[in-house]
Each structure stands twice: as C-alpha cells, then as structure tokens.
Amino acid sequence: MFKGDSGYALRPWVITPYRSSTNEDQKKLKTIHAKTRNCVERLNGVLKSTFRCLSVGLHTTPQTAGKIKNACTTLHNFRQAHDLLMDDVVI
C-alpha cells in the first residue's frame, strides 16, 4: 500500500488523506497518515543520499525499479543492523 498526499487520487493501492476532516475519526486518521508519510519521506531522503542511483531516477520498468529500491532498502537495513558506515561496505 502506498501512502500518497492529497495530490494523488484515491485508488486501491494508494491511501490519501481526507481533504477536509468533518469528524474526530477523520482528523485522527489524517494525523496518523501525515506522521507515517513523514517517516517514509525521511527514509526516501536517506536512501537517495546513500544510493545515488535513486536520486537521479530509475529509467527502467516499474517492476525493476521496485526490485532496485527493495535491494537498496535491504542493504540500508543490513548496514543499520550491523552499525556499518557506507565506507565500511565493499561492493
């Protein structure tokens, strides 16, 4: 599931926030959505600064781009779990 901002249309694979919250449940969901989306945006920034191929754009099929991003995320998680700096990783 992809969490998009209000610029995205609501689709089965995209959760977008309510444009205007009319009750407490909608306001709560909007707040939770924003917090989650902020975490994802920060992680994307870390991944783009670490793996430069992500910052210039992947000119490939969506399936291959997804695999590349998953591989970069896996490497990032491994690096975090083992307290490695990118300088310590030999690729």
Side-chain angles (χ1 to χ4, degrees):
M1 189 62 66
F2 171 74
K3 294 185 183 304
D5 61 21
S6 58
Y8 288 92
L10 183 61
R11 298 280 191 256
W13 61 90
V14 178
I15 297 175
T16 58
Y18 289 102
R19 291 187 187 266
S20 60
S21 306
T22 58
N23 61 47
E24 288 304 312
D25 287 339
Q26 289 178 353
K27 289 178 186 176
K28 187 175 179 180
L29 179 62
K30 192 172 186 176
T31 300
I32 292 169
H33 183 277
K35 286 180 180 180
T36 303
R37 198 170 147 268
N38 288 338
C39 291
V40 171
E41 292 291 334
R42 284 194 306 273
L43 174 61
N44 283 337
V46 169
L47 291 174
K48 284 180 177 182
S49 67
T50 305
F51 303 99
R52 296 293 179 183
C53 64
L54 299 176
S55 65
V56 297
L58 298 172
H59 303 286
T60 184
T61 65
Q63 292 80 11
T64 301
K67 289 177 183 179
I68 293 169
K69 187 156 184 190
N70 285 340
C72 291
T73 303
T74 301
L75 289 170
H76 169 76
N77 289 340
F78 181 85
R79 186 180 67 127
Q80 292 288 95
H82 297 283
D83 294 323
L84 298 172
L85 299 173
M86 274 312 287
D87 295 340
D88 300 333
V89 178
V90 178
I91 300 177

